[in-house]
Amino acid sequence: MSKHNMKPLLGRSVPRLAPLAVAMALAACSFIPTYERPAAPVAGSFGAGDNAAAAAPASAPVAADIAWQDFFKDARLKRLIELSLQNNRDLRIAVLNIEQTRAQFQLRRADELPTLNAGVTGARGPIASGAVTSTYTAGFSVTAYELDFFGRVRALSQAAQAQLLGSEEARKTVQISLIAAVANTYLSVLADDVLLAATRETLGTRQESLRLTQLKFDNEAASKIELSQAQSLLEGAKAALAQTIRQRAQDENALTLLVGQPLPTDLPAGLPITAQGMLPDLPAGVPSELLTRRPDIRQAEQQLLANNANIGAARAAFFPRITLTGSAGVVSNDLDMLFQSGTSAWTFAPQLLLPIFDYGRNSANLESAKVGRDIAVAQYEKAVQTGFREVADALAGRATLGEQLRAQNAQLAAEQTRMDLTDLRFKNGASNAFDVLDAQRSLFATQQAAVQVQTQQVQNLVTLYKVLGGGWK
């Protein structure tokens, strides 16, 4: 085609295509600020615990990739976790929150498309001549559909989508916390059982000591002070037993609440607290990896994205809002003939509203959206800092609790030897009752401390698994 022939064609096409091009350009308009993830306000390493983290094998899987069924080895504990995932009310609420947020997202998505209604109307009334006339209509209508030229509706939809994704991350966070809570409470119950056994054994020993001391006192071979001390230690053991029984009952009640139902009587046999078999060498990685491993941090970022989108919606409110209302159908003066010989009818009523003076409402709404975004940034940064602190604490525990437990067990062995030798000397008359009672008191205190440190070490492994993002797969 020659240039001469093209000119008329271009002259006819441009006026027709220009409005379409302008509409397409406006439709792509968005006032949502460009999102940039805030810099993590934490150090580049986890501090003293990094020495223990570096000792983990490079090929070891990260916690977020280890299913809880593989991390825990105790069959009884696994069954309790399964029951909690089925029945725990906090987790159930988190799941329902997802459904509610999904419904709200669907509402926002629906605003992006016109709503088509079908209806039939009828009206009767007098006309100028005094006669009564009837008018019936039937058809389809679209009411107040907003042409989203400036992205207000889309921005609100994006905010709702981010909130939906955030609620899904919140559910994962609840699950991680629930699994860790069930495991740590179960371990507390196991520790209570060990302490109960040790306390009952100590109680028996002190009852026997009091019997012997009383016998010596009756034969004037022991003083009143020795008898009073034996009685004091016995009552102390009874008090410790009552306290441990109460603590075990409370821990079991807490476990029942977490599981969400009474504990079944047919649970499989469990492992002792010293043989739980959890992975001790979970690699911690670097702090920046927490941003993708931990659902609570991802949830905070989704909330930040939602607030960022709200700014776009608030900015778009300063520009004209165009809505369309229209209908198409048939109209007749006779209801019986409406769908047979009715006359077609249609209406088309676009409306443009431009804010002129709103007493600062739009400005205040924009300022509120910006402050909401700043709050979300602070909440995101706090979530990162909290995650950093939790991992650092768990790594510090892993680095020190092993040595503490080793020293505590060595002390326990020494106290047991001391007790045995003191008791032997006492029976042979080479030691007095004070030495025996002091050895008994020291041994019992060391036994309690050893059980507590053992429990702390195993629970610290559970906590490390949790804070590194494990437990939601």
Side-chain angles (χ1 to χ4, degrees):
M1 183 179 292
S2 66
K3 295 182 179 180
H4 177 75
N5 292 332
M6 289 179 64
K7 290 180 179 179
L9 179 60
L10 292 173
R12 292 192 300 269
S13 300
V14 170
R16 297 177 181 177
L17 294 177
L20 177 60
V22 172
M24 291 178 64
L26 289 174
C29 184
S30 174
F31 292 101
I32 300 176
T34 301
Y35 174 74
E36 293 183 4
R37 175 181 287 174
V42 294
S45 65
F46 291 110
D50 274 345
N51 294 331
S59 60
V62 297
D65 295 333
I66 302 174
W68 63 264
Q69 296 93 335
D70 297 327
F71 181 76
F72 298 105
K73 308 302 180 184
D74 191 318
R76 192 180 187 90
L77 174 56
K78 287 184 179 182
R79 179 57 181 155
L80 290 173
I81 293 176
E82 289 175 357
L83 291 173
S84 70
L85 295 178
Q86 296 170 10
N87 301 305
N88 182 267
R89 299 312 188 268
D90 288 334
L91 185 58
R92 188 173 299 177
I93 291 171
V95 173
L96 293 175
N97 282 338
I98 293 177
E99 297 306 317
Q100 184 180 48
T101 311
R102 180 176 288 112
Q104 294 169 349
F105 172 56
Q106 291 299 329
L107 288 174
R108 290 300 185 186
R109 286 291 300 274
D111 290 339
E112 297 184 42
L113 300 173
T115 300
L116 184 64
N117 303 301
V120 177
T121 62
R124 287 176 60 84
I127 58 177
S129 63
V132 177
T133 184
S134 301
T135 303
Y136 302 96
T137 61
F140 299 95
S141 65
V142 174
T143 304
Y145 167 60
E146 181 176 348
L147 296 178
D148 194 26
F149 286 152
F150 301 101
R152 188 187 74 87
V153 177
R154 288 194 306 277
L156 293 175
S157 179
Q158 289 183 31
Q161 183 181 30
Q163 290 172 344
L164 172 60
L165 296 175
S167 68
E168 293 174 348
E169 298 297 342
R171 178 213 166 276
K172 296 175 184 177
T173 300
V174 172
Q175 178 173 319
I176 287 175
S177 299
L178 174 61
I179 290 174
V182 171
N184 282 332
T185 306
Y186 171 75
L187 293 171
S188 294
V189 173
L190 293 184
D192 293 336
D193 290 336
V194 176
L195 286 173
L196 273 175
T199 304
R200 288 192 173 105
E201 181 180 355
T202 299
L203 181 62
T205 301
R206 292 184 179 180
Q207 286 174 335
E208 179 62 18
S209 295
L210 177 60
R211 187 189 67 82
L212 294 176
T213 305
Q214 181 69 53
L215 182 60
K216 287 189 174 185
F217 177 77
D218 293 340
N219 290 277
E220 299 182 353
S223 67
K224 182 66 174 178
I225 296 178
E226 292 174 330
L227 179 62
S228 298
Q229 187 174 14
Q231 291 173 336
S232 175
L233 289 179
L234 176 61
E235 296 304 322
K238 290 180 179 179
L241 179 61
Q243 180 182 359
T244 307
I245 291 175
R246 180 178 67 253
Q247 185 62 53
R248 191 194 186 285
Q250 292 174 346
D251 288 338
E252 187 168 320
N253 292 338
L255 186 59
T256 301
L257 177 62
L258 291 170
V259 171
Q261 67 170 59
L263 301 183
T265 58
D266 60 345
L267 290 173
L271 297 173
I273 196 170
T274 56
Q276 288 295 307
M278 300 174 193
L279 299 175
D281 297 326
L282 290 175
V286 295
S288 60
E289 294 174 342
L290 291 179
L291 305 184
T292 57
R293 290 181 184 176
R294 286 182 53 128
D296 59 330
I297 296 179
R298 295 200 299 268
Q299 177 190 358
E301 185 171 18
Q302 290 299 331
Q303 185 59 49
L304 174 56
L305 287 168
N307 284 64
N308 200 56
N310 285 334
I311 294 178
R315 287 175 173 175
F318 285 89
F319 292 85
R321 185 177 301 181
I322 302 174
T323 60
L324 297 180
T325 298
S327 63
V330 293
V331 60
S332 174
N333 293 330
D334 188 346
L335 180 60
D336 294 336
M337 303 299 293
L338 178 62
F339 295 102
Q340 299 180 17
S341 60
T343 303
S344 63
W346 59 272
T347 61
F348 179 69
Q351 182 183 44
L352 185 147
L353 295 176
L354 177 64
I356 300 298
F357 188 69
D358 61 358
Y359 296 94
R361 179 179 288 105
N362 285 337
S363 296
N365 189 43
L366 176 58
E367 182 63 23
S368 175
K370 290 181 177 179
V371 173
R373 191 264 313 274
D374 294 340
I375 292 173
V377 169
Q379 290 173 334
Y380 172 78
E381 292 175 341
K382 181 180 179 181
V384 174
Q385 291 176 334
T386 300
F388 179 91
R389 183 264 173 96
E390 290 176 347
V391 174
D393 285 350
L395 289 175
R398 185 172 69 176
T400 57
L401 281 170
E403 174 59 23
Q404 183 179 354
L405 180 61
R406 186 206 63 76
Q408 197 70 60
N409 287 334
Q411 183 184 10
L412 178 59
E415 289 293 342
Q416 185 64 59
T417 301
R418 174 193 172 196
M419 178 68 234
D420 294 339
L421 294 176
T422 303
D423 185 61
L424 181 61
R425 287 169 55 84
F426 176 72
K427 290 179 180 179
N428 288 283
S431 180
N432 57 39
F434 286 116
D435 295 333
V436 174
L437 295 175
D438 182 66
Q440 288 179 352
R441 181 177 58 250
S442 181
L443 175 62
F444 182 50
T446 307
Q447 288 174 332
Q448 291 177 309
V451 173
Q452 290 171 355
V453 175
Q454 176 68 56
T455 306
Q456 289 174 3
Q457 185 189 41
V458 182
Q459 288 179 333
N460 185 74
L461 293 177
V462 175
T463 301
L464 181 60
Y465 176 64
K466 167 195 169 185
V467 298
L468 289 176
W472 64 268
K473 286 193 176 182

